[in-house]
Amino acid sequence: MRPRDRSQQTQNMFQKSPKQSTNITYKTPAEIEKMRVAGRLAAEVLDMIGLHVQEGVTTEELDLICHDYMVNIQKVIPAPLNYRGFPKSICTSVNHVVCHGIPGPKKLKKGDVLNVDITVIKDGYHGDTSRMFAVGTPPIGAQRVCRIAYECLYIGIEKVRPGLRLGDIGHAIQKHAEAQHCSVVREYCGHGIGRDFHEDPQVLHYGNPGEGVPLVPGMIFTIEPMINAGKRHVKLLPDGWTVVTKDHSVSAQWEHTVLVTETGYEILTLSPGTTTP
Ligand code: MF3
Ligand code: CO
Ligand code: CO
């Protein structure tokens, strides 16, 4: 997810309404085909790493396994590595970590839930997807927020079609999360994606129906709601990356890269291991 750019929310003296996206790239059929390939490869890393998510493994080991698979087998570039100084090839966010967890020496233990977020670059184009994994059987509250975040992702995706707007997606996600007494993180959002990792527009996971950028065929963006079991507030750790819930409640996130088509949507980050509701 990208950190929200607050300047896009603020009106300046020449603007009638808050600035919306400036630089959306609409993809050609040839680019869309490359995005399908990148998206499938990113999803296949998640299929592969799922088997390694077990009690006693460290997130650093998961990073190494993914790195080797991406570089040596898939021949892709792990986009996070050195991205704005990020030190690893994947993000691993355990329990109360919301996003951008840095793989490290801590061992996974029974009952942990973690998000693994994979972004690859293939032939110049990015594919970005994440899923939640569980070690053993997590506490019921952790299971629940994982399920609700998953439902939020697909409720958001179902809103993708020409004629609707980004606000319709955000509103649907927020409504579901809050009806289940969960909260939506506001400081980070989904994003346009293509040649660049994080392109316009910003895809907020909350909002108002009928507002925001209109959805147009050829747009490609991620939807990646971060849903907390407790309050929505987050805190950035001193490492400059790791985002955690302020109240230490469990947080969950699922992510797909999605294309707007003439009639609706196409999920680009599909693989044999992709689950659907
Ligand atoms: N993959 C994340 C996203 O969904 C971004 C990670 S940025 C990194 O947008 F530098 F932490 F890798
Ligand atoms: Co993303
Ligand atoms: Co991601």
Side-chain angles (χ1 to χ4, degrees):
M1 25 286 110
R2 65 189 265 187
R4 267 187 56 202
D5 174 1
R6 295 200 140 268
S7 71
Q8 289 197 17
Q9 295 295 309
T10 319
Q11 251 165 281
N12 72 32
M13 61 190 300
F14 303 110
Q15 287 174 318
K16 284 212 172 62
S17 57
K19 180 171 163 262
Q20 295 186 342
S21 294
T22 45
N23 244 330
I24 298 172
T25 65
Y26 300 88
K27 274 71 178 180
T28 64
E31 290 181 294
I32 289 166
E33 189 48 41
K34 290 182 182 188
M35 291 294 289
R36 282 192 189 102
V37 174
R40 177 176 47 78
L41 288 163
E44 286 176 356
V45 180
L46 291 173
D47 291 357
M48 181 280 300
I49 202 59
L51 307 165
H52 296 272
V53 176
Q54 288 184 12
E55 185 187 7
V57 75
T58 68
T59 49
E60 214 158 56
E61 287 164 353
L62 296 177
D63 175 71
L64 195 59
I65 295 165
C66 288
H67 178 93
D68 288 344
Y69 186 78
M70 289 188 269
V71 171
N72 298 324
I73 296 180
Q74 294 186 322
K75 317 276 187 206
V76 302
I77 299 168
L81 188 59
N82 301 320
Y83 178 79
R84 296 172 188 249
F86 192 79
K88 298 286 184 181
S89 296
I90 69 173
C91 296
T92 51
S93 302
V94 182
N95 295 334
H96 72 294
V97 179
V98 172
C99 63
H100 301 168
I102 303 172
K106 211 165 142 190
K107 287 182 160 70
L108 294 178
K109 57 182 196 308
K110 277 200 191 103
D112 284 345
V113 293
L114 78 152
N115 174 279
V116 178
D117 193 338
I118 302 291
T119 312
V120 308
I121 309 171
K122 183 70 166 183
D123 204 4
Y125 288 84
H126 290 72
D128 187 7
T129 183
S130 78
R131 298 178 193 157
M132 296 301 296
F133 295 93
V135 183
T137 306
I140 193 75
Q143 289 182 36
R144 188 169 177 275
V145 70
C146 291
R147 173 177 56 81
I148 291 162
Y150 180 81
E151 292 166 356
C152 283
L153 169 60
Y154 280 93
I155 284 168
I157 290 173
E158 284 296 332
K159 293 288 175 192
V160 176
R161 60 174 167 278
L164 292 194
R165 293 171 179 257
L166 286 179
D168 295 299
I169 298 173
H171 177 74
I173 291 170
Q174 179 181 12
K175 204 173 109 194
H176 184 63
E178 292 177 356
Q180 302 299 316
H181 306 287
C182 289
S183 63
V184 178
V185 171
R186 302 198 180 194
E187 288 81 358
Y188 299 85
C189 56
H191 49 93
I193 181 167
R195 278 201 171 277
D196 289 326
F197 196 158
H198 295 116
E199 301 184 355
D200 282 340
Q202 299 190 62
V203 179
L204 304 188
H205 301 109
Y206 63 94
N208 299 315
E211 290 187 6
V213 174
L215 303 179
V216 172
M219 281 173 71
I220 298 180
F221 52 81
T222 71
I223 302 178
E224 47 180 304
M226 285 141 278
I227 306 298
N228 299 347
K231 294 204 190 331
R232 68 175 179 82
H233 306 94
V234 300
K235 164 175 99 181
L236 181 64
L237 295 190
D239 63 23
W241 283 105
T242 311
V243 180
V244 300
T245 55
K246 252 190 194 160
D247 62 8
H248 276 231
S249 63
V250 179
S251 187
Q253 177 179 37
W254 296 74
E255 174 176 26
H256 274 308
T257 300
V258 180
L259 164 73
V260 184
T261 65
E262 299 291 335
T263 54
Y265 64 85
E266 178 182 332
I267 300 175
L268 300 181
T269 36
L270 294 175
S271 65
T274 301
T275 54
T276 46

Coordinates of all heavy atoms in Angstrom, one line a residue, residues 1-2 117 119 128-129 189-191 193 197-198 222-224 253 255 257, ligand 2:
M1 N 0.8 -1.2 0.0 CA 0.0 0.0 0.0 C 0.9 1.2 0.0 O 2.0 1.2 0.5 CB -1.0 0.1 1.2 CG -0.5 -0.7 2.4 SD -0.7 -2.4 2.2 CE 0.9 -3.0 2.2
R2 N 0.3 2.3 -0.5 CA 1.1 3.5 -0.5 C 0.6 4.3 0.7 O -0.6 4.3 1.0 CB 1.0 4.2 -1.8 CG -0.3 4.7 -2.2 CD -0.4 5.2 -3.6 NE -0.2 6.7 -3.6 CZ -0.3 7.4 -4.8 NH1 -0.6 6.8 -5.9 NH2 -0.1 8.7 -4.8
D117 N 3.0 -10.2 1.5 CA 2.7 -9.3 0.4 C 3.8 -9.4 -0.6 O 5.0 -9.1 -0.3 CB 2.6 -7.8 0.9 CG 1.9 -6.9 -0.1 OD1 2.0 -7.2 -1.3 OD2 1.4 -5.8 0.3
T119 N 5.2 -8.4 -4.5 CA 5.1 -7.6 -5.7 C 6.3 -8.0 -6.6 O 7.5 -7.9 -6.2 CB 5.2 -6.1 -5.4 OG1 4.2 -5.8 -4.4 CG2 4.8 -5.3 -6.6
D128 N 0.9 -7.2 -7.9 CA 1.0 -6.9 -6.5 C -0.2 -7.6 -5.8 O -1.4 -7.3 -6.2 CB 0.9 -5.4 -6.3 CG 1.1 -4.9 -4.8 OD1 1.4 -5.7 -4.0 OD2 0.9 -3.7 -4.6
T129 N 0.1 -8.5 -4.9 CA -1.0 -9.3 -4.2 C -0.6 -9.7 -2.9 O 0.6 -10.0 -2.6 CB -1.5 -10.5 -5.1 OG1 -2.6 -11.1 -4.5 CG2 -0.3 -11.5 -5.3
C189 N -3.3 3.1 1.5 CA -4.4 2.9 0.6 C -3.9 2.0 -0.6 O -2.7 1.8 -0.7 CB -4.9 4.2 0.0 SG -3.6 5.3 -0.7
G190 N -4.9 1.6 -1.4 CA -4.5 0.9 -2.6 C -4.0 1.9 -3.6 O -4.0 3.1 -3.3
H191 N -3.7 1.5 -4.8 CA -2.9 2.4 -5.8 C -3.0 1.9 -7.2 O -3.1 0.7 -7.4 CB -1.5 2.4 -5.3 CG -0.9 1.1 -5.1 ND1 -0.2 0.4 -6.1 CD2 -0.9 0.2 -4.0 CE1 0.2 -0.8 -5.6 NE2 -0.2 -0.9 -4.4
I193 N -1.3 0.9 -10.6 CA 0.0 0.1 -10.8 C 0.2 -0.2 -12.2 O -0.8 -0.3 -13.0 CB -0.2 -1.2 -9.9 CG1 1.1 -2.0 -10.0 CG2 -1.4 -2.0 -10.2 CD1 1.1 -3.1 -8.9
F197 N 5.4 1.0 -9.4 CA 4.8 0.2 -8.3 C 3.6 0.9 -7.8 O 2.5 0.4 -7.7 CB 5.9 0.2 -7.2 CG 5.7 -0.9 -6.1 CD1 6.8 -1.3 -5.4 CD2 4.5 -1.4 -5.8 CE1 6.7 -2.2 -4.4 CE2 4.3 -2.3 -4.8 CZ 5.4 -2.7 -4.1
H198 N 3.7 2.2 -7.5 CA 2.6 3.0 -6.9 C 2.3 4.2 -7.9 O 3.0 5.2 -7.9 CB 3.0 3.5 -5.5 CG 3.1 2.3 -4.6 ND1 4.3 2.1 -3.9 CD2 2.2 1.4 -4.1 CE1 4.1 1.0 -3.1 NE2 2.9 0.6 -3.3
T222 N -4.8 -1.5 -7.4 CA -5.0 -2.6 -6.3 C -6.1 -2.2 -5.4 O -6.4 -1.0 -5.2 CB -3.7 -2.7 -5.5 OG1 -3.5 -1.5 -4.7 CG2 -2.4 -2.9 -6.3
I223 N -6.7 -3.2 -4.8 CA -7.6 -3.0 -3.7 C -7.0 -3.8 -2.6 O -6.6 -5.0 -2.8 CB -9.0 -3.5 -4.0 CG1 -9.6 -2.7 -5.2 CG2 -9.9 -3.3 -2.8 CD1 -11.0 -3.1 -5.7
E224 N -6.7 -3.3 -1.4 CA -6.0 -3.9 -0.4 C -6.3 -3.5 1.0 O -5.5 -2.9 1.8 CB -4.5 -3.8 -0.6 CG -4.0 -2.4 -1.0 CD -2.5 -2.3 -1.2 OE1 -1.7 -2.7 -0.4 OE2 -2.1 -1.8 -2.3
Q253 N -5.2 -8.1 6.1 CA -5.2 -7.5 4.8 C -5.1 -8.6 3.7 O -4.4 -9.5 3.8 CB -4.0 -6.6 4.7 CG -3.9 -5.9 3.3 CD -2.8 -5.0 3.2 OE1 -1.7 -5.2 3.7 NE2 -3.0 -3.9 2.4
E255 N -5.0 -8.5 -0.8 CA -4.8 -7.6 -1.9 C -4.9 -8.3 -3.2 O -4.3 -9.4 -3.4 CB -3.4 -6.9 -1.8 CG -3.0 -6.0 -3.0 CD -1.7 -5.3 -2.8 OE1 -0.8 -5.8 -2.0 OE2 -1.5 -4.3 -3.4
T257 N -4.6 -7.1 -7.6 CA -4.5 -6.1 -8.7 C -5.6 -6.4 -9.7 O -5.9 -7.5 -10.1 CB -3.1 -6.3 -9.4 OG1 -2.1 -6.1 -8.4 CG2 -3.0 -5.3 -10.5
Ligands
CO2 CO -0.3 -2.7 -3.3

